[in-house]
Amino acid sequence: MKKKTIFLLVIATAVVTFNATIFGFYALMGFNDQKVKDIVRFFGALRFIETQYVRDVDYTKLIDGAISGMVKTLDDPHSIYLDPKMYELMRSHTEGSFGGVGIVMGFKDNKITVISVMEGTPSEAAGIKTGDEIIAVDGVPTSEIEPEEVVLRIRGEIDTEVTLRIRRAGEEDRDYVVRRATIQVHTVAGEMLPDTDGIGYIRIASFSEHTADEFKDAYHALEKDGVRGMIIDLRENPGGLVTSCVAIANMVVPKGPVVSVVQKDGTREEYESDLSEGKYPLVVLIDGNSASASEILAGALQDTGAATIVGQTSYGKGSVQVILPLYDDDALKLTIAKYYTPSGRSIDGTGIEPDVRVEPQTDGAQDVQLMKAIDVMKGKLAG
């Protein structure tokens, strides 16, 4: 009896010591009582499912689902769990060559809409049109996956096929098989607008590696043509490289801050313009699909008074993401910082409000936003 008592005492001491060690470890990790309870709940549920569910379960899939669920509770469309397949797709897009189908997509009101179809691309050949809604990719409903995953699924190896289910007004839903190809895209185009007495127009479709050089060429070409004022069109521009955006800002934004990147702990990284002063009056066009880097440029021009913003409220994508590789060929893409304009405004979730609001015509017969931008510029030149 004495030996049994001693044995139970030893066991009890070991359990207490073990629990104290575990709780001490969690305390050192910064976990409070509630966090410890939550961890116990999680592992309790995991173990219960693994041992008691009526069919065999895949342990890795359970963990994948748990991580994916955690990210989804953040309610951030730009944070996403990348399973091994999706992570491999993303790496192939950034590390090697990949094919596209030649469409620009807009993500709004829980719909994925074709904003434009590039000339001479597979999508044009397949019959996809501006205004089409993409409701599935290779049989996977777009309502069940994040917008960024839709993009990854549409892209892929050159000469492979992707099936897009399209919803078009007045027609039945239909599948379009599109063969991926190398898409050559010039991101900047410029011209002198006719009958405007010196108003130049520069369209920036996105901010890629060569966008700043293309913008510089268009800018100088307009100067040679005797430009007196410029309209910069950032409509339907999804963004891109911040470095490219800042390089353009150095040609149009007066000296000072262009954008600040602020992390959770307050760490701040600032990008600045060295331009002594702007050379020409500017008007900038934006809409609900102007996002990220295009909002940075528009916000900097608005805050510094260097341009008048015309159009609609921009998308509101003012955040920075990083990719954390995990331990099973998967990864986590997570928002870790926000962009702030020179005046300290956060773009994220709010967007840039135009100085002059103009809604587009529903039938698209006339570009009333551009017409208004021309009127605003004429007023600047007259003044």
Side-chain angles (χ1 to χ4, degrees):
M1 194 68 182
K2 186 176 180 181
K3 288 182 179 180
K4 184 176 181 181
T5 302
I6 294 174
F7 175 75
L8 291 175
L9 182 61
V10 170
I11 294 297
T13 302
V15 170
V16 170
T17 303
F18 176 77
N19 288 334
T21 302
I22 293 298
F23 277 84
F25 172 75
Y26 282 134
L28 288 174
M29 294 292 290
F31 288 14
N32 56 27
D33 289 346
Q34 184 58 52
K35 288 183 179 179
V36 173
K37 290 177 183 177
D38 289 339
I39 290 173
V40 172
R41 283 196 309 127
F42 171 77
F43 282 108
L46 179 66
R47 185 60 179 165
F48 184 63
I49 293 171
E50 183 185 18
T51 59
Q52 301 300 317
Y53 184 62
V54 68
R55 294 192 298 270
D56 290 339
V57 296
D58 186 320
Y59 189 84
T60 300
K61 284 187 176 180
L62 289 178
I63 298 299
D64 289 349
I67 297 174
S68 180
M70 281 192 292
V71 178
K72 287 179 179 178
T73 62
L74 300 176
D75 196 24
D76 176 8
H78 311 297
S79 295
I80 183 174
Y81 169 66
L82 300 167
D83 62 29
K85 182 179 179 180
M86 296 307 301
Y87 185 37
E88 178 60 31
L89 278 173
M90 175 167 283
R91 283 189 295 182
S92 69
H93 295 169
T94 57
E95 296 173 2
S97 61
F98 63 90
V101 297
I103 56 175
V104 177
M105 293 177 289
F107 308 100
K108 199 172 185 181
D109 300 328
N110 296 320
K111 293 182 179 180
I112 298 177
T113 307
V114 177
I115 300 301
S116 64
V117 180
M118 301 175 191
E119 293 183 6
T121 61
S123 288
E124 184 184 50
I128 293 176
K129 298 179 180 179
T130 298
D132 286 347
E133 181 186 348
I134 302 173
I135 60 174
V137 180
D138 286 334
V140 179
T142 54
S143 60
E144 297 179 2
I145 53 180
E146 298 294 333
E148 295 207 19
E149 185 173 342
V150 174
V151 175
L152 289 174
R153 287 178 179 272
I154 292 176
R155 292 177 178 176
E157 293 183 12
I158 296 169
D159 288 331
T160 59
E161 292 181 341
V162 59
T163 301
L164 305 180
R165 177 163 284 268
I166 297 295
R167 177 166 294 164
R168 184 176 296 165
E171 299 182 15
E172 292 186 0
D173 298 346
R174 175 184 165 189
D175 286 337
Y176 288 77
V177 179
V178 188
R179 182 170 290 274
R180 300 179 179 100
T182 301
I183 307 299
Q184 299 293 339
V185 179
H186 292 287
T187 58
V188 178
E191 63 174 332
M192 291 292 290
L193 295 175
D195 304 320
T196 58
D197 193 21
I199 298 178
Y201 171 86
I202 298 180
R203 160 75 175 153
I204 306 176
S206 63
F207 292 89
S208 65
E209 184 179 355
H210 303 293
T211 301
D213 291 334
E214 293 178 18
F215 182 88
K216 184 184 296 183
D217 291 342
Y219 186 92
H220 291 326
L222 291 176
E223 286 190 310
K224 291 179 181 178
D225 289 338
V227 70
R228 298 172 58 221
M230 293 189 189
I231 296 173
I232 300 175
D233 192 346
L234 298 175
R235 292 175 297 178
E236 313 297 349
N237 183 323
L241 299 177
V242 174
T243 50
S244 179
C245 169
V246 173
I248 292 175
N250 270 270
M251 291 181 258
V252 293
V253 177
K255 185 178 179 64
V258 173
V259 63
S260 300
V261 181
V262 182
Q263 297 184 17
K264 183 178 182 178
D265 63 0
T267 302
R268 177 181 294 265
E269 183 179 7
E270 290 192 348
Y271 296 87
E272 298 191 349
S273 169
D274 295 325
L275 182 68
S276 56
E277 61 179 352
K279 296 177 66 175
Y280 306 101
L282 299 172
V283 175
V284 174
L285 283 164
I286 61 172
D287 66 6
N289 287 307
S290 302
S292 193
S294 59
E295 294 176 287
I296 291 172
L297 182 59
L301 287 166
Q302 187 179 54
D303 281 4
T304 57
T308 300
I309 312 299
V310 175
Q312 301 161 284
T313 305
S314 62
Y315 183 86
K317 200 277 185 184
S319 58
V320 183
Q321 287 74 39
V322 296
I323 295 177
L324 173 68
L326 300 177
Y327 300 99
D328 196 24
D329 294 325
D330 53 351
L332 189 63
K333 184 178 182 183
L334 190 70
T335 297
I336 55 100
K338 289 187 177 183
Y339 292 126
Y340 290 84
T341 68
S343 67
R345 290 185 296 163
S346 172
I347 301 169
D348 199 47
T350 57
I352 301 295
E353 290 290 338
D355 300 309
V356 181
R357 179 173 291 278
V358 183
E359 300 296 328
Q361 282 190 339
T362 54
D363 59 5
Q366 289 184 312
D367 190 344
V368 293
Q369 293 175 326
L370 177 57
M371 292 168 64
K372 184 61 179 179
I374 293 173
D375 287 342
V376 172
M377 179 57 73
K378 286 180 176 178
K380 286 176 176 282
L381 295 175

